[in-house]
Amino acid sequence: MRLLPVLLLALTACAACTTSAPKFVDADPCSLLRSGDVGELKGTPARSGQACDFTFDSLTAELTLREAAFADESQKLLADGGYGGAIAGGEGESNNRPLTTRCTDSSGVVTCDAVLEVRDRQLVGIQVVQRSTDRNVVGQVMQTLAAKAFERLPK
């Protein structure tokens, strides 16, 4: 009979010791981009809730983690001249993650906004602003940042 309480105590202790993997909502958006991703990071990224502002050599980026329907967020970008794409999501084409991007330029400054679906109702939003006259180049930089952020998110 003494064995049962000891066994129960041991099982309870083991259950308390297990740690669950970090979840999307617990992810620190400032940990998802790093110096070297698209140039040297200047200063410390500034966090505000689930958003983080980064300043690299020649551009600024804001990364936001949010829970929303990808179709709704994507449609906002598509309706204003955006286009669809994908980020490689691991092994096989079936794991690619949808990405919608819209880039605009104004007086030699290109702004690209994008939304990446990580999982159902889990999105990464990115805005990149860079002095440039080539939307395609800035769009590619934004896609690089989206891929880096996706790689570093808790799975």
Side-chain angles (χ1 to χ4, degrees):
M1 283 295 177
R2 286 187 172 161
L3 185 58
L4 185 58
V6 172
L7 183 57
L8 184 57
L9 180 62
L11 286 173
T12 304
C14 280
C17 292
T18 60
T19 58
S20 59
K23 297 184 178 170
F24 179 80
V25 294
D26 300 327
D28 177 3
C30 292
S31 70
L32 301 178
L33 299 179
R34 299 181 185 147
S35 198
D37 286 347
V38 291
E40 293 304 309
L41 192 58
K42 304 294 182 190
T44 303
R47 183 173 180 174
S48 175
Q50 285 301 99
C52 192
D53 294 320
F54 300 85
T55 302
F56 290 93
D57 290 328
S58 63
L59 64 93
T60 60
E62 180 184 63
L63 185 142
T64 307
L65 300 178
R66 58 184 184 249
E67 294 181 317
F70 176 76
D72 295 341
E73 297 299 309
S74 178
Q75 187 56 42
K76 293 174 190 176
L77 298 176
L78 291 170
D80 200 19
Y83 55 92
I87 296 291
E91 296 177 23
E93 241 180 74
S94 63
N95 291 326
N96 289 349
R97 305 309 313 147
L99 172 79
T100 303
T101 305
R102 178 192 65 220
C103 295
T104 59
D105 82 58
S106 175
S107 302
V109 175
V110 175
T111 301
C112 290
D113 292 289
V115 62
L116 170 68
E117 183 180 50
V118 176
R119 288 178 213 90
D120 186 41
R121 300 197 58 78
Q122 295 180 352
L123 309 177
V124 173
I126 298 179
Q127 181 181 69
V128 173
V129 179
Q130 184 174 21
R131 182 163 295 284
S132 177
T133 56
D134 192 337
R135 291 183 201 186
N136 291 328
V137 169
V138 181
Q140 290 173 356
V141 168
M142 189 279 316
Q143 289 177 5
T144 297
L145 291 176
K148 293 292 185 181
F150 180 72
E151 286 174 13
R152 294 176 182 136
L153 272 169
K155 302 297 181 226

